[in-house]
Amino acid sequence: MTEVELKEAVIKAIKTVYDPEIPVDVYELGLIYEIKIFPVNNVYILMTLTSPSCPSAESIPVDIEKAVREVEGIAEVSVELTFDPPYAQDMMSEVAKLELGFM
């Protein structure tokens, strides 16, 4: 699998993870800031949450890591949580905005 194909598979896996309070996946919500594929198929994901006090702060990163680990060919997964820059609704995709009634 090429790096581009692997990244697409990682995104597809991330899209299976939903914020339990919002009926949209975390990728479309704009919570994923960065995905890097390193040699030997190690994956680094930089993400945020809708707020630092998010009640799912402990579960969402773990769920993302588990989903990405299931992608064939992945060696290691590292998920880092940041609040810089802070999350804003304009980070949502059009799909998420439509689903949540913002458009």
Side-chain angles (χ1 to χ4, degrees):
M1 191 178 299
T2 68
E3 184 177 323
V4 171
E5 292 170 329
L6 189 61
K7 188 169 183 177
E8 288 174 4
V10 166
I11 291 170
K12 186 176 179 180
I14 291 170
K15 286 184 171 193
T16 67
V17 179
Y18 285 74
D19 183 316
E21 298 177 337
I22 304 170
V24 177
D25 71 75
V26 296
Y27 189 83
E28 297 296 341
L29 276 175
L31 300 183
I32 305 300
Y33 286 168
E34 185 175 18
I35 300 169
K36 289 185 179 179
I37 310 291
F38 291 105
V40 197
N41 297 342
N42 293 325
V43 178
Y44 168 80
I45 299 166
L46 181 63
M47 67 167 294
T48 193
L49 297 168
T50 54
S51 77
S53 60
C54 175
S56 301
E58 292 182 24
S59 64
I60 292 176
V62 171
D63 292 345
I64 289 171
E65 182 178 341
K66 285 179 184 176
V68 173
R69 283 189 185 278
E70 292 179 10
V71 173
E72 186 177 334
I74 296 294
E76 293 294 325
V77 179
S78 172
V79 178
E80 182 180 349
L81 194 57
T82 185
F83 293 100
D84 186 30
Y87 179 78
Q89 286 184 354
D90 65 341
M91 295 174 168
M92 281 189 247
S93 70
E94 287 186 18
V95 170
K97 289 176 183 175
L98 281 170
E99 181 71 30
L100 297 172
F102 293 124
M103 288 182 79

